């Protein structure tokens, strides 16, 4: 076993879009597990849009000059935790480092159930936080019904790809997506099975969405906010539902934009808008796996990941994700 552990620390608060100079890589001896803990060598790390908000600090944010938080899949090297055995594959949230000390049941740490034909990447993508977010948004927040039409923004990202698959499996009539490049639009329609998709750079989102969904939509899974939210409100049918997952359009600028000009349409059309926080739906993890694992095993759906090789490229992967350089969920394979 390598006797050196590496971690990413944040060293400065960004103003606007973050840069590599806001981070540093540190070295320390590999820790030994104390009573009730296990030492995990991390194999895969997740970089997520919500990390950008945590970089600003404050309550629940990242501390400077300390290892960052992030979802990870790793293997237990040594354990003094009766709930984890040497060799177990585990999910935990003490990522952005090569080695972590974890305790089963604390901060979501859990042993991963092995499913034949399902790679570890799935547990940080469609079976992980992004898939759970999409599943909760569609089944609980929006209560999608068979035969309804769904629109997903940032549809080529982690939550977006999962939402597209899950909406189709739940019996959606049409699934429409928006993305930020012609290549991503083709990926949505040719690879992921979206019925229609558009590049939001090609014109006003409301007009592009209306052309893609001339009969309207019933459910909107919002990962972007801003003009995407306003456009969806215009196109939603009466009694439509908005599951608001994120607002990536706001993460690197003004966090307090004016409300959409057409917000009163929520009243006029009897729409429902509700935020989605995955931490409120962790009880659905087993249900999610029971629903999706057979489709992963059959090949009907995939893990939909972009994997960057090497722990030393963690910051590069994070910044690339914020720039939209990924298809599906952006992950880092540490090389461990």
């Amino acid at each position: 076993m390598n006797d050196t552990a590496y971690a990413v620390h944040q060293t400065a608060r960004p103003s606007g879009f973050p840069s590599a100079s806001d981070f540093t890589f540190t070295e320390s001896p590999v820790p030994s597990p104390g009573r009730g803990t296990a030492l995990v060598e991390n194999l895969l790390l997740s970089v997520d849009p919500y990390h950008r908000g945590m970089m600003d600090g404050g309550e629940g944010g990242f501390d400077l000059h300390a290892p960052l938080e992030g979802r990870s899949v790793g293997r237990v090297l040594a354990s003094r935790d009766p709930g984890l055995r040497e060799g177990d594959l585990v999910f935990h949230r003490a990522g952005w480092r090569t080695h972590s000390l974890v305790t089963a049941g604390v901060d979501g740490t859990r042993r991963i159930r092995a499913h034949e034909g399902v790679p570890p990447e799935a547990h940080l993508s469609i079976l992980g936080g992004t898939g759970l977010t999409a599943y909760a948004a569609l089944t609980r927040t929006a209560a999608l019904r068979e035969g309804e039409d769904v629109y997903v923004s940032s549809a080529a990202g982690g939550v977006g790809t999962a939402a597209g698959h899950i909406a189709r499996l739940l019996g959606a009539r049409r699934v429409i997506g928006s993305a930020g490049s012609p290549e991503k639009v083709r990926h949505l329609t040719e690879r992921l099975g979206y019925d229609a998709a558009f590049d939001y750079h090609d014109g006003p989102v409301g007009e592009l969405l209306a052309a893609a969904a001339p009969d309207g939509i019933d459910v909107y899974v919002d990962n972007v906010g801003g003009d995407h939210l306003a456009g969806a409100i215009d196109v939603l049918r009466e009694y439509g539902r908005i599951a608001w997952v994120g607002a990536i359009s706001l993460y690197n600028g003004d966090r307090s934009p004016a409300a959409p000009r057409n917000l009163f349409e929520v009243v006029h059309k009897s729409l429902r808008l509700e935020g989605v926080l995955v931490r409120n739906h962790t009880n659905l993890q087993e249900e999610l796996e029971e629903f999706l694992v057979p489709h992963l095993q059959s090949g009907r759906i995939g893990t939909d990941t972009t994997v960057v090789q090497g722990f030393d490229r963690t910051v590069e992967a994070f910044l690339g994700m914020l720039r939209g350089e990924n298809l599906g969920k952006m992950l880092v394979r540490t090389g461990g």
Side-chain angles (χ1 to χ4, degrees):
M1 181 182 74
N2 191 334
D3 59 1
T4 303
Y6 302 89
V8 179
H9 288 202
Q10 184 185 340
T11 56
R13 302 292 182 203
S15 176
F17 197 91
S19 69
S21 62
D22 295 324
F23 303 89
T24 191
F25 288 83
T26 67
E27 299 181 15
S28 63
V30 172
S32 298
R35 180 176 297 176
T37 68
L39 172 64
V40 173
E41 182 177 25
N42 296 323
L43 307 176
L44 292 161
L45 308 177
S46 177
V47 294
D48 294 280
Y50 77 85
H51 287 135
R52 173 60 190 87
M54 296 180 72
M55 289 185 69
D56 291 334
E59 184 177 357
F62 290 143
D63 293 328
L64 295 181
H65 309 290
L68 302 188
E69 175 270 355
R71 301 180 182 112
S72 179
V73 166
R75 194 169 298 281
V76 176
L77 297 180
S79 179
R80 297 183 64 189
D81 177 350
L84 295 172
R85 301 188 302 269
E86 185 176 332
D88 280 350
L89 202 63
V90 298
F91 169 91
H92 65 86
R93 300 186 67 90
W96 288 52
R97 63 199 93 176
T98 57
H99 297 78
S100 303
L101 292 176
V102 303
T103 299
V106 175
D107 293 331
T109 299
R110 56 183 170 81
R111 185 171 174 265
I112 290 174
R113 295 168 56 193
H115 301 287
E116 185 177 353
V118 178
E121 290 84 352
H123 296 280
L124 289 178
S125 56
I126 197 159
L127 297 182
T130 50
L132 188 59
T133 298
Y135 186 74
L138 288 166
T139 65
R140 296 322 196 258
T141 308
L144 176 66
R145 296 184 290 270
E146 187 174 353
E148 291 188 318
D149 297 322
V150 180
Y151 166 50
V152 182
S153 57
S154 191
V159 173
T161 53
H165 286 313
I166 292 168
R168 179 69 68 210
L169 294 172
L170 290 171
R173 187 179 75 97
R174 297 187 75 234
V175 184
I176 299 137
S178 59
S181 72
E183 294 77 17
K184 288 185 175 183
V185 168
R186 286 195 295 272
H187 181 73
L188 293 176
T189 56
E190 296 175 7
R191 297 290 301 277
L192 299 185
Y194 272 74
D195 295 287
F198 60 87
D199 182 344
Y200 63 82
H201 295 107
D202 289 344
V205 173
E207 295 179 11
L208 295 168
L209 177 57
D215 298 326
I217 57 174
D218 302 289
V219 168
Y220 172 40
V221 179
D222 188 6
N223 295 296
V224 177
D227 59 349
H228 288 67
L229 176 57
I233 289 172
D234 277 343
V235 178
L236 275 158
R237 300 184 181 113
E238 192 174 22
Y239 302 110
R241 289 89 69 203
I242 301 166
W244 199 350
V245 173
I248 198 168
S249 66
L250 313 178
Y251 289 165
N252 296 298
D254 183 5
R255 302 294 178 86
S256 302
R261 53 168 178 76
N262 58 349
L263 189 61
F264 192 71
E265 288 296 299
V266 171
V267 176
H268 182 67
K269 293 183 177 182
S270 298
L271 306 179
R272 191 174 82 240
L273 187 157
E274 184 178 338
V276 184
L277 284 176
V278 69
R279 66 171 178 257
N280 296 331
H281 299 283
T282 54
N283 62 306
L284 299 178
Q285 182 65 42
E286 185 173 348
E287 180 181 320
L288 173 76
E289 293 189 25
E290 290 177 356
F291 179 65
L292 289 179
V293 165
H295 299 296
L296 285 164
Q297 292 173 324
S298 71
R300 183 176 180 183
I301 62 174
T303 58
D304 300 310
T305 56
T306 297
V307 181
V308 173
Q309 182 68 42
F311 179 77
D312 58 346
R313 297 180 65 194
T314 300
V315 172
E316 176 187 336
F318 171 60
L319 299 178
M321 178 275 303
L322 290 179
R323 287 191 290 263
E325 295 173 1
N326 53 301
L327 287 173
K329 182 74 189 69
M330 180 75 94
L331 301 176
V332 177
R333 181 175 289 116
T334 65

